[in-house]
Amino acid sequence: MKKELPEKFRSYKHVWVFVELERGKVHPVSWELMGEGRKLADKLGVDLAGVVLGPKSDETRQAIKETYHYGADVCYICEDPALADYRNEPYTRALTDLVNTHQPEIMLLGATTLGRDLAGSVATTLKTGLTADSTELDVDDEKSLAATRPTFGGTLLCTIHTLNFRPQMATVRPRVMAMPEPDRSRSGRMVWHSLKMDEADIVTKVLEYVADATTDDANLAYADIVVAGGMGLRVPENFRLVTRLADVLGGEYGCSRPVVQKGWLPADRQIGQTGNTIRPRLYIAAGISGAIQHRVGVEGADLIVAINTDPAAKIFEFAHMGVVADALTVLPALADAFERRLGRRAMAS
Amino acid sequence: MDAPETPTDGLNIVVCIKQVPDSAQIRVHPVTNTIMRQGVPTIINPYDLFALEEAMRLRDQYGGQVTVLCMGPPMAEDALRRALGLGADKAVLITDRRFAGSDTLATSFALATALTRLGADHPVDIVFTGKQTIDGDTAQVGPGIASRLELNQLTYVSAIDTLDQGKGEIVVRRRAEGGVQVLKSKLPCLITMLEGSNEIRRGSVADMLRAARAELTVWSAEEAGVEDVMMCGLRGSPTVVKRVFAPSARDEQAEMVTVEGKQPAQIGDAIIDLIFAAQPKLEADLSAALN
Ligand SMILES: Cc1cc2nc3c(=O)[nH]c(=O)nc-3n(C[C@H](O)[C@H](O)[C@H](O)COP(=O)(O)OP(=O)(O)OC[C@H]3O[C@@H](n4cnc5c(N)ncnc54)[C@H](O)[C@@H]3O)c2cc1C
Ligand SMILES: Cc1cc2nc3c(=O)[nH]c(=O)nc-3n(C[C@H](O)[C@H](O)[C@H](O)COP(=O)(O)OP(=O)(O)OC[C@H]3O[C@@H](n4cnc5c(N)ncnc54)[C@H](O)[C@@H]3O)c2cc1C
């Protein structure tokens, strides 16, 4: 299977991370990738670069600065009004032109709606390999990117390589990698690029942007504390016990997939392989059996506490703490106990 | 085999559908920890049904025809027949041993080639795909087809607001990370449809009967228009799967809270003691955040 890397790709060098800047804000997955990219670059002995595309603005400048703080040595920058809102055409053009000009060996993007839209186009235009939703990145003895991802249903993992093409591309979902500590003293080189495209050449126009209402919006992926319930809660009304404990702790609530399938909670509350990946400091799972598809979404939690009536439940195989008891009793008891412990003010909130 | 006839007016729409194993019935072998695919029924990738329904709605409103296109083994004919039973007009299966082992780049090559052949007489106006599949789950094939055919790419579409056939203009709602983009674009375009955007209709009895008898168009690589088979299947796939393995078990056991003879309040306190013992910083941070 293995051939020599074609001559034209031998000059491809350095690790790139696409910095996802949308409406003035950098998606945190970009910094998580920067942390991983730094490790790969150090292993290969090459530079880590961030690619920042956006309009000329203070926010774009801020994104560039932070790209260095999170580990980049170089920033490739394209500033153009046509890059103000994400659209596939100008973004694909800018990124493929940059790759063809500066020739990175590895390129990482977040597996967000933006990152997946862009990565699929760029990889096809460049005719190279793209591994989706990687959960682990490494370089092997032959300096080839080894991207590991769950295979069917998450029951097995597979490691995918792009041996004979460059760049080697991979996407990673938010919260799968740890957020690195920024070093605010770092800075680096800037390389400018111009978008060889006019607004008049771009077919697709953004007529409007409707921001999601921020009130009842689930932000599970970035919550410090998550309380979730599964089918063990039996009826939808019992989810009040889950939301109350989450409220007491100032955290988010979620659930397993069958709870969503039953229509008890909306899809954005689902945790697991086909829902949110979470990485909280504390995860409390009540009445959840701990199927592999649920497990892969919660394994990044610092502390997992499971409440389940069945001592043989799979969840106890990866939880850090377990309680074999009825969740309908333990959840309210736990909420009361936290209120007592954390002081009266918490009760009011 | 000839290409199916294309309409002379109305929209020429193609929906790409993939046949996948029914995940709800997938079982893992308890000893070897491998997936047991034998005897697992196959279904149309559930995400593709939203694309199919949206395509049929446009056809019902503007006229034209909906062709379903699938790359897969001969048995993928089942998926195509099901789509006909739901109301699709024509079905094309591209099947060839040389397609085996395709990654997303090779898959988008094969599908884009067949789409070019399908549009030879009457250009394709809209290509629909699902958001992603439930097996490969990469969401890369839609963008791949759009790039190859230079179609305007509209992913994660939750609704088609307007379509002006005369001007060839389309307005859609696209799910972005923190909100929804309302995008105006032009035909021909490729749309990947978001789940929950509509509900697949029940096929009529007439459609069911037609589906059972219908003659499908079945193309080999050459018949689909592939000139260079090196771009298909395993040979046309830049990604290489090097290793497949089971996730490792965690070494330590969960620390169990004893509940025997305790009141609920005592159990609550016992759990909190353990949590704060394991995460000493959490108590201070929580108190600070909440007070
Ligand atoms: C392709 C694929 C993708 C999937 N993706 C996901 C995903 O993203 N997320 C996900 O969660 N699942 C996912 N699943 C489903 C997964 O396999 C499980 O079916 C699901 O996680 C089970 O949900 P559950 O634990 O709530 O329910 P069950 O498995 O029914 O478990 C209920 C648990 O509650 C316990 N219990 C009962 N009564 C009580 C009580 N009074 N107090 C405490 N405990 C009690 C029981 O002992 C049991 O362990 C996926 C499956 C497939 C095939
Ligand atoms: C566990 C697993 C992991 C994989 N990982 C990767 C990877 O990281 N990178 C990679 O390049 N390949 C990967 N592959 C290979 C990939 O699944 C195949 O290339 C597959 O043919 C298409 O990709 P997909 O299933 O991810 O489709 P997606 O890109 O998720 O599908 C999007 C849409 O494209 C259409 N579509 C997809 N396939 C077909 C088809 N055969 N016929 C008609 N329409 C279709 C459907 O409308 C579908 O909804 C993986 C395969 C498996 C089983």
Side-chain angles (χ1 to χ4, degrees):
Chain A
M1 196 66 232
K2 166 120 181 113
K3 294 176 281 183
E4 282 281 279
L5 186 64
E7 181 63 40
K8 63 176 171 179
F9 291 129
R10 300 230 178 111
S11 51
Y12 280 57
K13 209 174 161 187
H14 308 304
V15 177
W16 285 17
V17 171
F18 172 75
V19 177
E20 181 171 329
L21 177 66
E22 196 164 30
R23 303 187 75 78
K25 275 211 281 241
V26 175
H27 196 296
V29 71
S30 308
W31 306 146
E32 293 157 20
L33 286 178
M34 214 45 101
E36 281 306 295
R38 187 68 263 171
K39 290 182 213 159
L40 298 177
D42 289 345
K43 249 187 171 166
L44 290 165
V46 299
D47 286 345
L48 173 67
V51 180
V52 180
L53 312 180
K56 205 179 173 78
S57 70
D58 292 345
E59 286 101 340
T60 305
R61 291 304 161 104
Q62 182 60 29
I64 296 166
K65 269 198 210 143
E66 290 188 55
T67 300
Y68 301 124
H69 298 166
Y70 283 99
D73 304 301
V74 192
C75 260
Y76 291 96
I77 305 152
C78 184
E79 280 185 342
D80 194 287
L83 299 168
D85 276 288
Y86 174 73
R87 284 173 297 169
N88 182 269
E89 275 171 285
Y91 270 70
T92 300
R93 169 65 75 84
L95 195 53
T96 43
D97 280 357
L98 275 165
V99 167
N100 285 329
T101 312
H102 301 285
Q103 310 186 331
E105 58 193 301
I106 291 174
M107 179 149 69
L108 310 177
L109 300 93
T112 59
T113 56
L114 191 164
R116 281 181 151 202
D117 183 284
L118 179 62
S121 302
V122 170
T124 310
T125 310
L126 296 169
K127 306 279 183 289
T128 191
L130 171 59
T131 304
D133 292 0
S134 318
T135 51
E136 214 182 303
L137 299 170
D138 202 357
V139 285
D140 69 7
D141 302 341
E142 288 160 36
K143 297 197 165 188
S144 158
L145 177 69
T148 299
R149 63 169 306 208
T151 71
F152 199 97
T155 35
L156 294 173
L157 299 167
C158 66
T159 304
I160 297 180
H161 292 246
T162 297
L163 296 175
N164 304 321
F165 299 85
R166 293 290 179 272
Q168 307 160 82
M169 291 179 62
T171 63
V172 178
R173 295 209 308 183
R175 297 309 267 154
V176 168
M177 304 298 179
M179 175 68 74
E181 273 306 316
D183 172 356
R184 310 264 171 219
S185 67
R186 278 183 61 96
S187 80
R189 277 189 300 127
M190 294 200 225
V191 180
W192 298 87
H193 177 82
S194 63
L195 179 72
K196 292 166 199 72
M197 218 177 190
D198 274 340
E199 184 56 48
D201 305 329
I202 304 170
V203 174
T204 302
K205 309 289 177 196
V206 181
L207 300 183
E208 202 190 333
Y209 181 89
V210 189
D212 292 334
T214 43
T215 42
D216 193 33
D217 210 24
N219 193 5
L220 279 169
Y222 288 92
D224 268 342
I225 294 178
V226 176
V227 184
M231 293 312 288
L233 296 190
R234 290 205 206 94
V235 291
E237 292 70 47
N238 286 335
F239 276 83
R240 260 179 293 172
L241 306 176
V242 172
T243 52
R244 166 150 182 256
L245 179 55
D247 266 356
V248 167
L249 293 170
E252 284 282 353
Y253 66 95
C255 62
S256 61
R257 185 165 84 157
V259 172
V260 169
Q261 285 171 329
K262 291 247 178 212
W264 296 353
L265 286 180
D268 61 357
R269 295 286 169 186
Q270 185 186 319
I271 297 169
Q273 196 194 2
T274 45
N276 291 279
T277 303
I278 60 171
R279 224 187 160 86
R281 295 169 68 185
L282 172 62
Y283 176 52
I284 301 175
I288 293 180
S289 57
I292 183 74
Q293 297 89 357
H294 190 79
R295 175 178 172 171
V296 296
V298 304
E299 265 180 327
D302 291 341
L303 184 63
I304 301 174
V305 180
I307 307 164
N308 197 305
T309 41
D310 176 7
K314 278 229 177 295
I315 193 144
F316 294 126
E317 289 173 16
F318 59 91
H320 302 91
M321 278 165 207
V323 190
V324 179
D326 185 351
L328 305 183
T329 316
V330 175
L331 282 172
L334 200 49
D336 292 342
F338 268 119
E339 277 187 344
R340 283 197 303 276
R341 194 74 65 98
L342 296 168
R344 286 195 62 81
R345 296 271 292 283
M347 261 167 122
S349 71
Chain B
M1 208 182 240
D2 288 341
E5 273 173 45
T6 44
T8 45
D9 54 31
L11 294 165
N12 188 12
I13 305 175
V14 182
V15 185
C16 299
I17 62 171
K18 185 182 183 186
Q19 187 182 49
V20 296
D22 184 354
S23 67
Q25 309 207 25
I26 284 272
R27 291 283 171 275
V28 177
H29 193 282
V31 178
T32 59
N33 208 14
T34 53
I35 296 159
M36 302 194 290
R37 276 176 190 261
Q38 301 92 311
V40 176
T42 55
I43 51 171
I44 298 178
N45 175 40
Y47 292 104
D48 299 350
L49 295 176
F50 301 106
L52 178 59
E53 174 59 29
E54 204 61 27
M56 294 193 293
R57 283 188 192 193
L58 292 180
R59 173 202 63 192
D60 295 346
Q61 197 175 347
Y62 299 96
Q65 93 180 3
V66 172
T67 305
V68 281
L69 169 65
C70 178
M71 176 183 87
M75 71 164 192
E77 199 185 304
D78 292 348
L80 289 169
R81 274 193 205 283
R82 270 211 58 218
L84 291 174
L86 293 168
D89 302 291
K90 298 276 162 60
V92 178
L93 174 65
I94 58 170
T95 184
D96 199 307
R97 286 220 177 124
R98 290 164 296 176
F99 290 146
S102 294
D103 72 357
T104 56
L105 194 76
T107 301
S108 71
F109 172 74
L111 292 172
T113 306
L115 281 160
T116 304
R117 167 127 200 241
L118 280 170
D121 298 331
H122 183 298
V124 176
D125 300 298
I126 305 178
V127 177
F128 276 99
T129 72
K131 182 183 87 169
Q132 64 197 50
T133 62
I134 58 166
D135 57 348
D137 183 23
T138 65
Q140 288 167 196
V141 171
I145 294 171
S147 301
R148 289 178 182 278
L149 298 177
E150 296 185 25
L151 305 172
N152 295 308
Q153 176 173 323
L154 303 167
T155 54
Y156 303 101
V157 170
S158 59
I160 296 174
D161 281 0
T162 60
L163 176 69
D164 183 330
Q165 258 185 297
K167 287 198 203 144
E169 264 177 19
I170 187 165
V171 176
V172 303
R173 291 180 175 259
R174 171 179 185 271
R175 166 109 313 256
E177 281 305 305
V180 173
Q181 288 182 318
V182 183
L183 296 175
K184 183 167 86 175
S185 193
K186 285 211 154 56
L187 305 183
C189 63
L190 178 135
I191 295 176
T192 83
M193 212 60 206
L194 203 63
E195 70 274 20
S197 46
N198 57 35
E199 201 172 318
I200 187 76
R201 64 193 61 185
R202 281 162 171 270
S204 67
V205 175
D207 282 330
M208 306 272 196
L209 292 174
R210 187 176 53 88
R213 291 191 306 260
E215 186 163 340
L216 307 188
T217 302
V218 180
W219 283 338
S220 65
E222 278 87 4
E223 287 171 312
V226 171
E227 285 170 5
D228 182 1
V229 290
M230 291 297 284
M231 292 177 76
C232 296
L234 211 51
R235 282 182 296 186
S237 298
T239 61
V240 178
V241 178
K242 270 211 165 172
R243 201 160 83 91
V244 180
F245 57 103
S248 52
R250 241 171 48 91
D251 296 338
E252 328 105 70
Q253 293 279 306
E255 192 169 348
M256 302 306 277
V257 178
T258 44
V259 294
E260 282 76 38
K262 278 190 189 151
Q263 293 298 309
Q266 292 171 308
I267 298 174
D269 281 326
I271 298 172
I272 292 178
D273 287 341
L274 272 182
I275 290 175
F276 288 156
Q279 296 275 314
K281 246 184 117 245
L282 197 63
E283 178 164 19
D285 291 350
L286 271 175
S287 304
L290 296 170
N291 287 287

